[in-house]
Amino acid sequence: MTELICCGAINWDINLFMERLPRTGEEVSVREVQRVSGGTAANVAVAAARILGRGRVSFIGALGGDDIAEKQIDILREEGVETSGVLEIENEESGQAYITIGSNGENEIHTYFGANLRLVHQRLYDPERLKLIHEAKVAVIMDPPLETAEKLAQICRESGKMVIWDPGVHSELGLKALTPTIRNVDYFVLNHLEFENLLGTSDPRRVGASLDAVKRGIKAIIKHGGEGCIVCDESAGATIHVDAVPLKKLGMEIVNTVGCGDAFIGAFAAAKVEGFDDITALRRGCAAGSFKATRKETRGGPTAQQLSEILRRWEEL
């Protein structure tokens, strides 16, 4: 039975690896092209499924009526993700992302959302999706259309589910636009730059106070990439920093940072499904995100065994 649902984007990623990213108007040669499954919510679903095991994670999203959709469904199933919540939209292209990646892991992402935009909030009430929502303990909402995020958070809150929301690109819309969804969210997740764009600050105390004014008791998670993350719980007066894994000390090299945040959220959500406290869940999230940075593929999150191993090595430093 589903214990975790992940809702939002699924894309076919075309990764272009090069020595460095081009400046405006400059041509830079590509040394490798990689075509793989991606999309933030689908990435989170796979990251969590690798840790929790087969059949415990479901993905809710939309694909087009094309060959990409067939590949995406097959890949999700191979990873142990339940796919009955996926809409297939005829006469629409599946989402695609074109990602340029420099030798130091920096990247730029250009996304065609396609069928992802057709996951309208009314489709959450279809029997296939509503069943998964009611079964789950935890819901991760990434970047479906904003009205869909708002409705899903409301349904989950009314049925007592834990809700984790990373609005991603929607953060550009401003706090007022996000407020109806935030009121039904337990954990609100963005990276530090996105918080600055949304609230004018990434200072933990100010972030916590701003969000607590919208929804009492909400916890903000600020992602800081290679510096780890910070959780702000204004109602408890607590701000906690969790470091990233020191990869160099473990003899591990950063290869590609695309998808690290998704691996982080997937591992964090999986930990909450299994009942871990916030600090433990965040530490597991940081370990998963750091592990992913050492993998070329977008979905490079660890299995349960790999996560346990990197946590063990980290603790021994």
Side-chain angles (χ1 to χ4, degrees):
M1 188 173 73
T2 292
E3 295 175 83
L4 172 65
I5 55 170
C6 301
C7 179
I10 180 168
N11 294 317
W12 191 249
D13 289 353
I14 297 87
N15 295 328
L16 307 176
F17 292 90
M18 54 195 67
E19 284 302 313
R20 60 176 177 81
L21 301 185
R23 296 184 291 268
T24 300
E26 182 184 23
E27 181 178 356
V28 174
S29 62
V30 174
R31 53 183 169 83
E32 182 181 350
V33 179
Q34 184 187 74
R35 296 173 178 85
V36 294
S37 187
T40 56
N43 293 346
V44 169
V46 169
R50 288 182 181 177
I51 296 168
L52 290 174
R54 301 187 67 85
R56 297 177 69 185
V57 180
S58 294
F59 173 68
I60 296 176
L63 289 164
D66 50 26
D67 292 342
I68 290 176
E70 295 180 14
K71 293 178 185 177
Q72 296 279 39
I73 292 294
D74 287 344
I75 291 168
L76 287 174
R77 288 173 177 166
E78 288 171 6
E79 292 280 3
V81 176
E82 167 61 46
T83 61
S84 61
V86 179
L87 280 169
E88 293 191 41
I89 311 295
E90 293 299 325
N91 302 315
E92 181 66 83
E93 284 194 62
S94 295
Q96 295 151 62
Y98 300 83
I99 305 171
T100 52
I101 303 162
S103 59
N104 62 355
E106 64 181 345
N107 62 81
E108 292 181 349
I109 304 174
H110 309 269
T111 303
Y112 171 73
F113 288 99
N116 288 300
L117 300 178
R118 301 287 296 277
L119 182 62
V120 295
H121 70 276
Q122 293 90 341
R123 301 307 302 265
L124 297 173
Y125 290 98
D126 293 342
E128 301 91 338
R129 278 158 287 286
L130 201 57
K131 176 179 181 293
L132 297 175
I133 295 167
H134 286 158
E135 284 181 354
K137 297 178 182 177
V138 177
V140 175
I141 306 172
M142 297 297 290
D143 50 3
L146 186 56
E147 288 185 356
T148 304
E150 180 181 340
K151 181 57 66 175
L152 180 54
Q154 178 187 335
I155 296 170
C156 289
R157 171 54 56 200
E158 289 173 351
S159 54
K161 317 299 181 186
M162 178 184 292
V163 180
I164 302 165
W165 186 31
D166 182 337
V169 68
H170 296 313
S171 62
E172 298 175 356
L173 300 175
L175 184 60
K176 183 177 179 180
L178 304 190
T179 290
T181 308
I182 290 173
R183 287 175 176 155
N184 290 307
V185 168
D186 298 290
Y187 296 90
F188 185 81
V189 187
L190 286 173
N191 66 42
H192 64 288
L193 295 177
E194 291 167 330
F195 268 116
E196 288 177 9
N197 291 335
L198 178 66
L199 301 175
T201 182
S202 60
D203 175 77
R205 289 292 186 189
R206 292 173 64 191
V207 167
S210 295
L211 292 177
D212 197 68
V214 176
K215 194 258 177 126
R216 182 70 175 165
I218 193 171
K219 298 178 183 178
I221 297 176
I222 306 172
K223 296 181 293 183
H224 274 276
E227 297 178 14
C229 68
I230 298 171
V231 60
C232 316
D233 183 355
E234 182 68 17
S235 63
T239 299
I240 301 168
H241 179 266
V242 178
D243 290 328
V245 176
L247 293 172
K248 287 186 179 180
K249 290 184 179 180
L250 297 181
M252 302 171 76
E253 180 182 353
I254 295 174
V255 175
N256 179 12
T257 59
V258 176
C260 290
D262 302 332
F264 167 87
I265 293 175
F268 175 79
K272 298 312 290 185
V273 166
E274 297 194 296
F276 288 106
D277 61 51
D278 284 350
I279 294 177
T280 302
L282 289 167
R283 187 172 174 84
R284 292 171 71 85
C286 285
S290 298
F291 179 93
K292 193 276 133 203
T294 68
R295 298 298 190 267
K296 182 178 291 186
E297 63 271 24
T298 306
R299 292 182 182 171
T303 62
Q305 182 176 352
Q306 289 169 330
L307 180 60
S308 294
E309 176 63 14
I310 194 170
L311 285 167
R312 181 191 65 78
R313 294 178 62 194
W314 188 10
E315 290 170 359
E316 290 177 354
L317 288 178

